[in-house]
Amino acid sequence: DHNAGSVLLLYQINRISPSPELKKAADKTLAYLMSTLFDTESGSFLSFQIADTYYYTLDKKQRERVPTPKVMDKIFTDRLVRTLSYLLQVVEITKNQELSRQVKQSLDFLIAMNGVHKNLMRYYSITEKRWMLSGGLSDHAYVAKLFSDAAQQYQDSAYADHAARVLIAAIDQYYDPQQGVFIDPDVDDSTNFEYLMKMNSLFALAIQGLGDRLNPGGTLIVNSIVTYFSQMGEPLEDRLWNAVEWEFAEAYVPFLEVVERFQ
């Protein structure tokens, strides 16, 4: 997902301030993603290649004499979703049809997961050719937001249907109507406030992206999420401006997007 994020950033900067060097770097990294990190058998982007620092210090001839770093034989749901979220935007910028085809294949790969399992799963084993371990709150949040975005970009009701299914499952499993927010039973939310805010914001953005599909319940949930975190405006602002950990600022961005759409 870091490579996909870097590609998107390079294309965005190049669009604002055109640079042959930036575009070349973006094109080269995208080609790597579409070849080395795309598995044709599963029809999905892979998670990552082992970062062997020694290998990358070698010149081209030296690299030919040693094994290339291993590509992980597991596809992690959260990493794949973040990769696809970036690449959806890259498709919009570049209009790369082959990339669009690979993105759609990967989306279908995720949809097929629910054809086999009732719940989202944590990762897919390439060697065993099966999904393993039940997914958690974050998997539901990332997947719901991804398919909500894909439905809008591709105008495909199948993607909207899948986003709605994931949201309904997440509401059943994780939504606390008394607090008005999604709670992760595996995480101490009092010490992981940034995480709680980001996951709830992703759910809210997914609901907003689906329009009236989950109403009236969807609107009520978005309202309660905005209210919950808005009531903490002063401490949130202090933590944002005094933050030395950028994870908090990163978590704040999707919440600000929810509020912008909410208004």
Side-chain angles (χ1 to χ4, degrees):
D1 56 318
H2 294 301
N3 282 295
S6 298
V7 168
L8 174 60
L9 180 61
L10 289 170
Y11 279 128
Q12 287 175 328
I13 295 173
N14 182 68
R15 189 163 57 173
I16 296 170
S17 180
S19 164
E21 290 78 13
L22 285 179
K23 187 176 184 305
K24 181 179 179 181
D27 290 343
K28 188 174 181 180
T29 307
L30 182 58
Y32 163 76
L33 280 166
M34 295 174 65
S35 55
T36 303
L37 290 187
F38 186 81
D39 179 52
T40 55
E41 184 174 351
S42 64
S44 172
F45 285 96
L46 302 171
S47 292
F48 58 89
Q49 187 173 20
I50 300 297
D52 185 340
T53 53
Y54 169 73
Y55 177 83
Y56 293 106
T57 63
L58 303 176
D59 59 34
K60 186 176 181 179
K61 288 186 177 180
Q62 290 173 320
R63 289 183 186 181
E64 291 175 353
R65 296 194 292 269
V66 298
T68 57
K70 180 183 177 182
V71 177
M72 285 296 293
D73 57 4
K74 296 181 178 65
I75 302 174
F76 294 93
T77 299
D78 57 351
R79 283 181 173 269
L80 174 58
V81 170
R82 289 196 294 269
T83 294
L84 295 176
S85 295
Y86 292 132
L87 293 181
L88 274 176
Q89 298 176 70
V90 173
V91 168
E92 194 170 6
I93 293 171
T94 64
K95 311 301 180 187
N96 186 318
Q97 294 303 306
E98 176 59 19
L99 174 62
S100 182
R101 185 187 67 80
Q102 291 184 340
V103 167
K104 289 181 178 180
Q105 276 192 282
S106 298
L107 290 169
D108 291 341
F109 171 75
L110 285 170
I111 290 177
M113 175 205 303
N114 279 125
V116 178
H117 303 277
K118 291 183 179 180
N119 298 322
L120 294 183
M121 305 299 285
R122 185 79 66 183
Y123 71 90
Y124 181 82
S125 170
I126 297 290
T127 55
E128 297 186 39
K129 297 183 179 180
R130 65 188 182 99
W131 288 95
M132 305 180 74
L133 298 180
S134 295
L137 176 73
S138 62
D139 296 299
H140 285 77
Y142 281 120
V143 171
K145 174 63 164 56
L146 170 66
F147 278 90
S148 178
D149 291 344
Q152 294 176 68
Q153 182 159 325
Y154 288 118
Q155 293 296 298
D156 191 327
S157 61
Y159 296 151
D161 290 342
H162 191 62
R165 284 196 297 271
V166 173
L167 281 165
I168 291 170
I171 293 168
D172 288 342
Q173 294 180 62
Y174 303 109
Y175 187 70
D176 183 343
Q178 292 186 331
Q179 296 191 63
V181 291
F182 291 87
I183 300 297
D184 192 334
D186 298 324
V187 174
D188 181 359
D189 297 318
S190 64
T191 58
N192 290 274
F193 191 78
E194 295 85 349
Y195 167 78
L196 179 66
M197 179 170 60
K198 184 174 183 179
M199 294 305 107
N200 275 271
S201 298
L202 292 176
F203 281 124
L205 288 170
I207 293 170
Q208 289 173 325
L210 292 179
D212 295 332
R213 189 174 282 262
L214 291 182
N215 277 343
T219 297
L220 293 175
I221 289 174
V222 173
N223 290 348
S224 64
I225 289 173
V226 171
T227 300
Y228 182 91
F229 290 103
S230 296
Q231 289 173 342
M232 302 181 184
E234 195 168 313
L236 277 172
E237 185 175 353
D238 290 340
R239 291 181 71 175
L240 174 64
W241 293 114
N242 296 327
V244 293
E245 296 182 4
W246 284 103
E247 288 183 2
F248 179 77
E250 181 185 359
Y252 209 136
V253 170
F255 177 67
L256 294 178
E257 189 177 348
V258 171
V259 173
E260 184 179 9
R261 294 187 187 185
F262 182 75
Q263 295 175 340

